[in-house]
Amino acid sequence: MASAAADGRLDTFPRLLARNADTFGDKPAYREKEFGIWQSWTWAEARDEIEALAYGLLDMGLNEGDYVALIGRNRPHMYWSMVAAQMCGAVPVPIYQDSVGEEIAYVLDHCGARFVIAQDQEQVDKVIEVKDRLPALEEVIYLDKRGMRKYDHTHLRLFDLVQDEGRATRDKGEREMATRLAKQDGETTCVMLYTSGTTGRPKGVVLSNDNIIITSKNSAEFDHLVPGDDILAYLPMAWVGDFIFSVGQAYWTGFCVNCPESADTMMTDLREIGPSYYFAPPRIFETQLTTVMIRMEDAGKFKKWLFDRFMAHAKTVGPKLLDGEPVGAMDKLKYSLGNLLVYGPLKNTLGLSRIRVGYTAGEAIGPEIFDFYRSLGINLKQLYGQTEASVFITQQKDHEVRADTVGTPTPGVELRIDDSGEVFYRSPGVFVKYYKNDESTASTKDAEGWVATGDAGFIEPDTGHLRIIDRAKDVGKMASGALFAPKYVENKLKFYPNILEAVVFGAGRETCTAFINIDLTAVGNWAERNNIAYASYQELAGHPQVLEMIQSHIAETNESVAQDEMLSGCQIHRFLVLHKELDADDGELTRTRKVRRRIIEEKYDDLITALYDGAESVSTETEVTYEDGRKGSIKATLHIRDVKTVEARAPQAVAAE
Amino acid sequence: MLDLSPEGYVTEDGRKIGGVLMEMKNITLRFGGVTAIKDISFDIREGEIRAIIGPNGAGKSSMLNVISGFYVPQEGEVWFKGARRAQMKPYQVARQGIARTFQNIALFEGMSVLDNIMTGRLTHMKANIFDQAVWWGRAQVEETENREKVERIIDFLEIQNIRKTPVGRLPYGLKKRVELARALAAEPMLLLLDEPMAGMNVEEKEDMSRFILDVNDEFGTTIALIEHDMGVVMDLSDRVVVMDYGKKIGDGTPDEVRANQDVIDAYLGVAHD
C-alpha cells in the first residue's frame, strides 16, 4: 500500500488512507463512545481495520463494479466499510437508516447490490423482510451480534469474522488487491448517494473520486481545516454532507471523526468531544436554543436577570467582534466579563466551546437564531449546496457572514442565474450521472456541465453574495398575478419557536392559507406554565388558547410579509393547526425533513378545501404509519381560524399610477 | 406435550433447555390462618423462561418470595442446584446467584442510574470499608472491573442516554428497565421478575419483552417471571405454572395451559349452578 502513496497521487480514498497512515499514523482518526468510554483508532489502526475488511470482502467474492449497500448509524466500522469497498473496486451505497423496508427494497433493487453491511438486528430484519424481491442480493454482513444468534447464517456473517477471514487470507489476495487498487483513479466512482426525493422516486447520484476529493480539498482549504480538528459524525450517513465532512474532508485533511454512543446521547457526546468543526441543520440549532430558553424561564430571578442583560449586550457587540469590526474598549471589557459569567458556561453546556468553524444549511435559519449563536462568539456560517454538487456551491467567508444570504461561490464553482431566476452552477464537484437514468441526467446537467439547482435566487450586485428565494418550481403566481413564494412565508413562520412546520397554499388562488404544526416541546412548556392541561399532541394542537397564540404569530408574520412589495400577496388569510406531526414515515416529509408539497396537497385535500370554502371546522380521518410499518388512523375535528391581514401597499401603488 | 427428561428438552424454536435448576417440592405457606400457597410443586429448568401466572391474589408474589428466600414456607422443600436449600437470609440467596426485580420498583430514587446498577454488583465486591472509603488498592481495581460489566449492561439495555440521570426523574417504564439492569448486574443464574410489565403501555411492554428474550438468549440466564397479563406471558415463556387461590391448577407449555379448562374457568370465571 505504501507504494500507492509514494508516487504522490492522492486521487482515491485508499491512497489518501495510505498517506494518512504513513504521515500521521499515531494521530486519532476515529473515536466512538462505547461502554461509557471514548474508544479511539489512530490512522494506522484504521488502515489495519479497513484492510482486514477489504481482504475479507475480496475473499467473499466482491467484484469490481459491485455495489455494497450500507445501513446503519454513524459508527467507525460503517465508515471503514465504505473505504474497504472502494479498495475492492466496489461502490459504497449508504442508505438512510430510518428507511422502512419498502424504501430499502427500492434502493437495493435499483443499484443491484450483492452485499449489504447492516449495523444491527433491526436493519438486518428490514433487509430480510424484502430479500425475496431482490434476486441480486447475496450476503448480509452485520456489525452488532446482539439478538442474531438464532438467525439462519447461510448468507449472514458477522463483521468481525469477515475481518478475521480477511486477515487470514491476506497473502492469497494481495496480488489481486494491488491490481485493483492500481486501476483506480480520479474518474473511478467514489460513492453513490440516493437523493431524498422531494418529488417522485429517489435518484442515485454517482460521484467520482475527483468530485469528492477536489471539492473536499477546496472547501477544507477555504476554512483552514487542520489535522487536529474534531468533528462529530451524527447526521445520516446516506446524506452527501456527512460523506463530505466525515469521509471527504476528514481523509483529505486528516482530522478525527467522532461517533456518538447512540442517537439519544448526541448532545452529551457533543459536550464531551467539543468539536472544532461542526455542522448542524437549522433544526438542531433551533432545538438547542429552545432548550436554553425553556431552562432560563425556569431559572432563578438573579440568573435570569444576568442572562438577559448580558445576552442583550452580546447581541450588539458579539457579531461585530466576530466580523472584526471596531468595538469600544468599554464594550469589549463588558463582553469579556459576559464571556466569563454567561457566554463561556453557556457555550460549554451547548458543547460549542471549541468551535472554529460551524455551518448550517439545508433550510433557512431564523435571523434571531443565527444571531444568538454568533453573538456568543461562535463562528456559525451558512453554506448552500446539494448532492449533485458534492455539497458545496456557495459558502460564507469569515467576516462576511449574514443571516439572509448563503455566501459567495466556493473556490472552483461558477454561478449563473438564468432569465427565469433559477440558479445554475458548474464545478469540479458536479456529479457524473444519475444511475440508470440518462433522461434525468440530461435534463439536469447540460452539455457544458451546468447544473440547474431548482432554486430561484439572485446574486446581490454589491457584495456578490447569493440569496435564495424559494424552490423554483414552488414559486408560482396567485390568481391576481402576484408572486407566490410559499417557502419564504413558511420560513418566517418557522422562526417562531412554537411553530415546528408550516405549509402554505395559494398557487392560482385568491388568498393564501396555511397548515401549522406546533412544536410540542415549546408549546408543551408554555402550556405547563399557563396551567393548561392536555392529554395528547392532538388535544394540545386543538386547544383554543394554542390556536389563539398561533393566530397572533401569523398576524405578525403577515405584517412582516406586507413589508415586501413583491410578496405582500402571500399573507395568510386562514389557517388550521394539524392534528398530527408531519412525518417522513407517512411520506409527508423527506428523510432530510423537507416538506413534500404535492403529497401533502393530495393527502389533505379535504382540509385544503375547508380552508377555502369558509367552513369554521372540518372533520377528517388521517392514515398514519408507525415506525414498524404498521398503519393506523387518527380522527379529528379541526378548527379553522381567520387571520388579520395588512392592506397590501404595492398593488395599490400600481393601481394609482 | 413436552418430553421432560431429566437432561432437559428442546423448545419449539429450537433452544436447548438444561436440567433442573430449582425445584419446589410440596410448598405450603401460611400467614396466620390464611393459606397463601397450598402444596405446590414445580421445577425451573436451566436456560428456560418460566412464568407463574394467575388472577389477583392467587399467591404468585408469595411464591416468588419463597423462591427468593424472603418467605420461609411452613411445609415443603426448596432445592437449588441439586441441593436442598437451608433457611437463609435474602442476601445469602443473592450470593447463590438469584437476583430479582420488584413489582413496585425498589430503586434508590436520588441516585443516578449508573450508581443504582452498580449496587447490583455488591455481591461481587470484596474490598473492605477502609479501602472503599479512601478508594485505594483493591477498591480501585474492583470499581473499574465492575464499572465495565455495568457499562455492558447499560449498552445491552440501551439506556446510555440516562446513565447519569437520577432515577427519580425517570418515567415508570424506564425505571423498570433500570431495575432489570440492576438485577442483571449481579450476573445471576436465576433471574426473578415480579410483574415486569405492570403499568406499561403496549410499546413499553414490547420493549421489555424483547429485553427479557435477549437476556435469556445472550447471557443464558434462567428467568422466572410473574405476570397477570396473559398475552405477554404466553408469547414469552417456555413453560407456565398457573395458580389460583394458592393452588396450582395448571403447568405446561403456553398452548397446553391455554387449553386447560381449569385455567379458562379461573380467568373467565365460571357459572355456579
Side-chain angles (χ1 to χ4, degrees):
Chain A
M1 231 61 44
S3 63
D7 63 11
R9 279 167 64 195
L10 293 173
D11 53 356
T12 69
F13 279 93
R15 288 189 183 117
L16 282 171
L17 173 66
R19 190 243 356 218
N20 291 350
D22 291 342
T23 328
F24 21 83
D26 56 347
K27 287 221 166 70
Y30 292 97
R31 284 195 204 101
E32 184 189 29
K33 194 170 184 187
E34 207 179 19
F35 305 127
I37 293 176
W38 286 95
Q39 323 275 347
S40 72
W41 291 265
T42 64
W43 280 104
E45 287 165 344
R47 173 170 62 182
D48 292 344
E49 297 279 359
I50 293 169
E51 284 183 5
L53 181 64
Y55 281 105
L57 292 171
L58 192 67
D59 185 56
M60 283 171 69
L62 183 63
N63 295 323
E64 282 174 289
D66 276 354
Y67 289 87
V68 177
L70 302 142
I71 319 170
R73 68 179 172 86
N74 314 66
R75 295 199 62 189
H77 312 72
M78 296 306 271
Y79 289 111
W80 301 339
S81 304
M82 294 205 195
V83 183
Q86 289 171 342
M87 285 181 77
C88 298
V91 181
V93 184
I95 300 175
Y96 284 97
Q97 75 202 69
D98 51 357
S99 304
V100 294
E102 211 49 47
E103 294 166 315
I104 289 178
Y106 176 78
V107 172
L108 291 181
D109 183 46
H110 189 254
C111 71
R114 283 178 59 217
F115 290 20
V116 173
I117 301 181
Q119 185 217 321
D120 58 9
Q121 187 187 10
E122 183 187 345
Q123 307 297 350
V124 173
D125 282 347
K126 285 196 268 189
V127 176
I128 290 177
E129 181 193 321
V130 296
K131 193 180 65 181
D132 295 341
R133 303 190 318 221
L134 304 167
L137 182 65
E138 287 175 23
E139 301 279 344
V140 178
I141 298 169
Y142 61 91
L143 218 60
D144 190 347
K145 64 178 172 205
R146 167 178 178 179
M148 297 294 301
R149 199 197 311 253
K150 279 182 248 160
Y151 284 63
D152 171 14
H153 273 67
T154 35
H155 296 289
L156 204 55
R157 288 176 210 220
L158 180 64
F159 188 92
D160 294 346
L161 295 180
V162 176
Q163 281 190 319
D164 288 348
E165 201 58 31
R167 289 191 180 98
T169 58
R170 187 182 171 118
D171 292 340
K172 199 176 72 186
E174 212 145 39
R175 178 185 293 242
E176 170 69 14
M177 185 67 83
T179 322
R180 289 195 188 184
L181 284 170
K183 259 192 251 172
Q184 298 171 18
D185 59 18
E187 282 173 21
T188 313
T189 301
C190 174
V191 67
M192 183 153 88
L193 300 163
Y194 278 81
T195 56
S196 47
T198 16
T199 48
R201 285 292 202 177
K203 287 180 279 199
V205 181
V206 176
L207 296 168
S208 70
N209 281 320
D210 277 347
N211 288 157
I212 300 289
I213 294 177
I214 297 176
T215 308
S216 299
K217 170 179 180 285
N218 288 343
S219 52
E221 283 169 1
F222 182 93
D223 279 315
H224 315 292
L225 301 177
V226 293
D229 275 322
D230 275 300
I231 62 162
L232 190 72
Y234 66 98
L235 290 159
M237 289 185 65
W239 176 60
V240 66
D242 186 63
F243 191 78
I244 284 281
F245 301 130
S246 307
V247 182
Q249 292 182 337
Y251 275 67
W252 177 261
T253 320
F255 61 65
C256 181
V257 175
N258 301 281
C259 300
E261 189 168 21
S262 74
D264 299 330
T265 59
M266 183 261 175
M267 283 300 163
T268 325
D269 298 332
L270 176 71
R271 198 150 60 222
E272 287 173 2
I273 282 297
S276 57
Y277 178 42
Y278 178 58
F279 178 93
R283 194 178 285 265
I284 295 218
F285 287 111
E286 277 171 39
T287 318
Q288 277 196 324
L289 177 59
T290 310
T291 320
V292 170
M293 287 309 179
I294 288 171
R295 283 178 65 177
M296 283 320 296
E297 290 293 335
D298 297 339
K301 269 211 177 110
F302 176 68
K303 278 190 187 162
K304 179 96 174 71
W305 173 82
L306 203 68
F307 177 79
D308 288 342
R309 203 180 152 94
F310 277 106
M311 281 319 294
H313 181 67
K315 226 163 234 169
T316 58
V317 181
K320 282 187 193 163
L321 282 170
L322 262 186
D323 290 341
E325 286 173 31
V327 173
M330 207 47 214
D331 277 344
K332 254 190 200 161
L333 190 71
K334 198 172 165 193
Y335 190 84
S336 6
L337 184 67
N339 204 17
L340 198 69
L341 294 173
V342 179
Y343 322 141
L346 182 57
K347 276 195 284 189
N348 196 19
T349 311
L350 295 171
L352 305 176
S353 296
R354 287 175 60 212
I355 299 277
R356 270 195 13 254
V357 185
Y359 273 110
T360 183
E363 292 271 335
I365 186 165
E368 297 83 12
I369 298 162
F370 195 65
D371 289 344
F372 171 82
Y373 288 96
R374 290 199 49 90
S375 66
L376 292 176
I378 295 163
N379 187 18
L380 181 60
K381 309 198 283 184
Q382 296 195 76
L383 66 80
Y384 171 64
Q386 54 179 210
T387 312
E388 286 82 348
S390 310
V391 178
F392 292 98
I393 300 174
T394 67
Q395 54 192 133
Q396 293 178 325
K397 290 195 187 94
D398 291 343
H399 310 314
E400 277 186 37
V401 180
R402 287 163 48 192
D404 57 347
T405 79
V406 290
T408 51
T410 302
V413 179
E414 300 167 77
L415 274 188
R416 180 165 67 90
I417 312 285
D418 81 346
D419 301 335
S420 67
E422 189 173 349
V423 181
F424 285 74
Y425 64 92
R426 186 162 68 176
S427 76
V430 166
F431 72 116
V432 180
K433 61 175 179 188
Y434 291 123
Y435 187 62
K436 289 193 198 160
N437 194 344
D438 293 335
E439 199 184 319
S440 285
T441 311
S443 68
T444 313
K445 185 168 84 162
D446 70 11
E448 290 166 14
W450 286 96
V451 179
T453 59
D455 287 328
F458 63 92
I459 297 173
E460 284 190 346
D462 39 344
T463 58
H465 279 238
L466 177 67
R467 271 182 76 168
I468 299 294
I469 309 173
D470 201 341
R471 295 288 299 168
K473 63 174 182 317
D474 291 338
V475 175
K477 290 271 193 302
M478 301 184 55
S480 62
L483 193 63
F484 172 67
K487 189 84 161 274
Y488 174 82
V489 186
E490 287 162 12
N491 284 336
K492 277 185 184 294
L493 287 169
K494 279 158 64 178
F495 295 156
Y496 291 95
N498 294 327
I499 299 178
L500 181 71
E501 201 64 68
V503 190
V504 173
F505 309 97
R509 311 235 191 203
E510 295 294 328
T511 56
C512 282
T513 56
F515 285 173
I516 303 289
N517 253 180
I518 55 166
D519 184 316
L520 189 59
T521 324
V523 179
N525 187 271
W526 168 86
E528 198 177 304
R529 273 183 287 120
N530 289 282
N531 285 327
I532 294 169
Y534 64 97
S536 64
Y537 179 89
Q538 191 178 341
E539 190 180 336
L540 185 64
H543 198 281
Q545 272 177 275
V546 172
L547 293 181
E548 215 151 273
M549 177 171 70
I550 301 293
Q551 194 171 9
S552 71
H553 289 335
I554 297 180
E556 281 170 36
T557 308
N558 280 346
E559 272 173 40
S560 135
V561 170
Q563 306 286 315
D564 196 314
E565 291 183 12
M566 246 168 36
L567 295 166
S568 63
C570 298
Q571 291 182 55
I572 292 162
H573 288 71
R574 280 159 67 80
F575 79 98
L576 57 81
V577 174
L578 282 179
H579 49 300
K580 72 175 273 286
E581 244 182 73
L582 296 174
D583 199 322
D585 288 342
D586 294 325
E588 294 154 341
L589 302 177
T590 66
R591 289 282 161 204
T592 47
R593 302 196 63 94
K594 285 182 186 140
V595 167
R596 281 171 140 162
R597 230 167 267 285
R598 307 276 169 275
I599 290 174
I600 294 176
E601 270 170 28
E602 275 170 31
K603 184 167 178 181
Y604 297 105
D605 186 44
D606 54 335
L607 301 184
I608 299 176
T609 312
L611 279 171
Y612 283 101
D613 69 7
E616 284 197 351
S617 69
V618 54
S619 296
T620 187
E621 187 173 344
T622 313
E623 186 177 82
V624 290
T625 313
Y626 298 110
E627 265 178 35
D628 58 3
R630 280 180 304 153
K631 291 190 192 298
S633 74
I634 310 180
K635 279 187 196 153
T637 302
L638 306 177
H639 294 276
I640 299 174
R641 294 214 171 186
D642 294 326
V643 192
K644 206 172 76 184
T645 51
V646 180
E647 199 62 32
R649 285 174 302 172
Q652 277 186 335
V654 173
E657 272 172 25
Chain B
M1 185 69 197
L2 281 174
D3 172 28
L4 290 173
S5 69
E7 292 78 44
Y9 65 99
V10 177
T11 61
E12 268 175 42
D13 57 349
R15 277 161 48 246
K16 282 193 187 60
I17 302 296
V20 175
L21 178 69
M22 178 168 252
E23 192 169 9
M24 317 301 284
K25 290 184 181 166
N26 308 93
I27 302 286
T28 298
L29 178 72
R30 278 186 289 268
F31 298 108
V34 183
T35 309
I37 302 173
K38 215 178 287 170
D39 191 26
I40 287 190
S41 303
F42 64 95
D43 64 3
I44 301 171
R45 301 292 184 112
E46 244 169 80
E48 87 181 331
I49 301 180
R50 187 75 149 123
I52 304 170
I53 64 170
N56 280 331
K60 304 183 300 277
S61 285
S62 300
M63 194 70 233
L64 200 78
N65 281 322
V66 170
I67 299 177
S68 75
F70 188 67
Y71 291 157
V72 181
Q74 279 80 7
E75 284 163 39
E77 296 171 357
V78 179
W79 286 65
F80 186 57
K81 287 194 276 184
R84 186 180 167 183
R85 194 167 76 187
Q87 184 178 339
M88 46 174 70
K89 297 251 161 56
Y91 78 88
Q92 290 168 316
V93 176
R95 286 220 177 125
Q96 279 201 326
I98 299 178
R100 69 168 295 178
T101 65
F102 298 84
Q103 193 174 339
N104 47 358
I105 302 183
L107 291 165
F108 303 100
E109 295 268 312
M111 272 161 49
S112 71
V113 168
L114 181 67
D115 288 339
N116 264 289
I117 304 172
M118 281 295 267
T119 59
R121 297 293 304 165
L122 211 62
T123 50
H124 298 263
M125 294 193 201
K126 293 181 186 70
N128 63 41
I129 189 168
F130 302 106
D131 284 351
Q132 299 264 19
V134 292
W135 203 56
W136 160 265
R138 194 171 195 170
Q140 217 171 12
V141 178
E142 269 184 352
E143 170 141 347
T144 315
E145 284 170 8
N146 287 316
R147 172 73 188 269
E148 208 179 313
K149 294 240 164 70
V150 166
E151 282 294 345
R152 286 189 186 270
I153 290 161
I154 289 180
D155 184 71
F156 187 81
L157 293 179
E158 294 166 5
I159 44 177
Q160 299 101 328
N161 57 325
I162 51 164
R163 190 185 277 128
K164 300 270 169 76
T165 314
V167 165
R169 288 227 309 260
L170 297 177
Y172 184 78
L174 274 178
K175 282 186 188 171
K176 280 275 194 195
R177 213 187 291 179
V178 174
E179 241 204 348
L180 177 61
R182 183 179 60 184
L184 278 181
E187 294 180 276
M189 293 178 71
L190 175 62
L191 178 63
L192 309 176
L193 305 174
D194 195 351
E195 303 217 6
M197 326 274 181
M200 285 188 171
N201 62 32
V202 178
E203 201 177 318
E204 287 169 332
K205 276 182 191 169
E206 279 175 5
D207 279 348
M208 188 50 100
S209 307
R210 191 166 61 85
F211 284 126
I212 292 173
L213 288 170
D214 282 352
V215 165
N216 176 257
D217 183 49
E218 189 79 21
F219 304 117
T221 314
T222 308
I223 294 171
L225 63 97
I226 294 183
E227 194 42 80
H228 64 227
D229 182 334
M230 284 271 274
V232 177
V233 173
M234 294 302 185
D235 288 347
L236 215 55
S237 32
D238 301 313
R239 287 193 301 151
V240 182
V241 176
V242 192
M243 291 176 70
D244 192 21
Y245 294 114
K247 282 182 296 196
K248 181 168 108 170
I249 56 169
D251 189 357
T253 63
D255 286 337
E256 289 166 7
V257 164
R258 215 178 267 132
N260 183 327
Q261 191 55 46
D262 290 340
V263 176
I264 297 170
D265 290 347
Y267 263 89
L268 299 179
V270 63
H272 294 279
D273 23 44

